[in-house]
Amino acid sequence: MADSSGLQFVSSFAFEAMQKVDVVRLAALSDPELRLLLPCLVRMALCAPADQSQTWAQDKKLILRLLSGVEAVNSIVALLSVDFHALEQDARKEQQLRHKAGGSNGESILVSQLQHGLTLEFEHSDPLRRLRLALSELLVIMNKVSDSNGEFFLKSSELFESSVYLEEVADVLCILQAETMAIAIVTRC
């Protein structure tokens, strides 16, 4: 695991182990290295696999053993339990609303009025609300990028810049990316 000013990165050893789904090498990872891969590992262990072989069944058991006892796994499982199809539909409506409103941050389909700041709201939210908060923030940034005409700009984000919630936000973003990509692939077929 590489470390640069407090940020952790997946090592080349861990990346290759994930890429090849080498569960023996995954089992050799340290807890901090394994933590960086948790969203992928949990999704891999819980979602229906394309591979129905006996070898994969054995590998999946080892992955489940790796995940057992890791506290963060439960919150990732809860994130995976959300109806992503409905969430994606709401995100598309949000994009249309922002486009019509000229990119203003006023009305939102994904996030109703915040009672507290974004990070505090994130902390006290259920998994669906966490996904909605992160997705809404992503859409704000994406809209700003599309409106920038290639010019450099700085857009601060209370949620994405919070070191306290970095792991949880990274989990949410990883799950959002994986699940919305899966939906996009399925709907194209």
Side-chain angles (χ1 to χ4, degrees):
M1 175 180 65
D3 191 353
S4 174
S5 67
L7 293 177
Q8 300 172 346
F9 302 94
V10 175
S11 68
S12 58
F13 180 84
F15 181 82
E16 189 175 326
M18 278 299 292
Q19 187 177 36
K20 295 179 179 176
V21 193
D22 185 340
V23 292
V24 173
R25 289 176 74 182
L26 288 170
L29 296 176
S30 67
D31 287 347
E33 285 179 306
L34 200 59
R35 175 61 183 96
L36 296 173
L37 305 174
L38 277 185
C40 298
L41 290 170
V42 171
R43 188 171 185 276
M44 192 185 304
L46 295 181
C47 294
D51 184 354
Q52 298 292 328
S53 70
Q54 188 61 31
T55 304
W56 171 245
Q58 292 302 315
D59 288 350
K60 185 175 176 178
K61 286 180 186 177
L62 183 54
I63 291 171
L64 288 170
R65 252 187 260 130
L66 281 173
L67 297 176
S68 68
V70 179
E71 188 177 328
V73 168
N74 292 333
S75 63
I76 296 169
V77 169
L79 289 170
L80 285 166
S81 301
V82 169
D83 180 0
F84 284 95
H85 188 68
L87 183 62
E88 186 181 37
Q89 288 176 339
D90 286 349
R92 288 178 193 210
K93 290 176 190 171
E94 178 92 2
Q95 284 178 308
Q96 291 170 353
L97 182 67
R98 288 185 189 278
H99 183 70
K100 286 180 185 175
S104 73
N105 294 339
E107 206 175 323
S108 174
I109 291 171
L110 289 170
V111 180
S112 58
Q113 292 292 329
L114 298 177
Q115 300 296 321
H116 311 287
L118 193 55
T119 54
L120 193 56
E121 193 78 27
F122 184 84
E123 177 185 359
H124 295 292
S125 294
D126 63 5
L128 176 60
R129 181 112 169 115
R130 282 182 170 211
L131 288 161
R132 287 176 169 277
L133 289 166
L135 190 53
S136 178
E137 192 71 0
L138 269 177
L139 291 174
V140 167
I141 293 169
M142 288 169 54
N143 193 45
K144 182 77 174 166
V145 168
S146 68
D147 289 347
S148 71
N149 296 325
E151 295 177 26
F152 177 78
F153 68 91
L154 185 60
K155 169 71 175 104
S156 64
S157 169
E158 179 186 352
L159 182 60
F160 296 154
E161 294 172 8
S162 172
S163 60
V164 175
Y165 301 108
L166 182 62
E167 286 182 342
E168 291 87 352
V169 170
D171 291 344
V172 166
L173 292 174
C174 185
I175 297 299
L176 272 173
Q177 186 275 331
E179 292 299 322
T180 55
M181 285 298 293
I183 290 170
I185 290 168
V186 168
T187 55
R188 285 188 196 145
C189 295

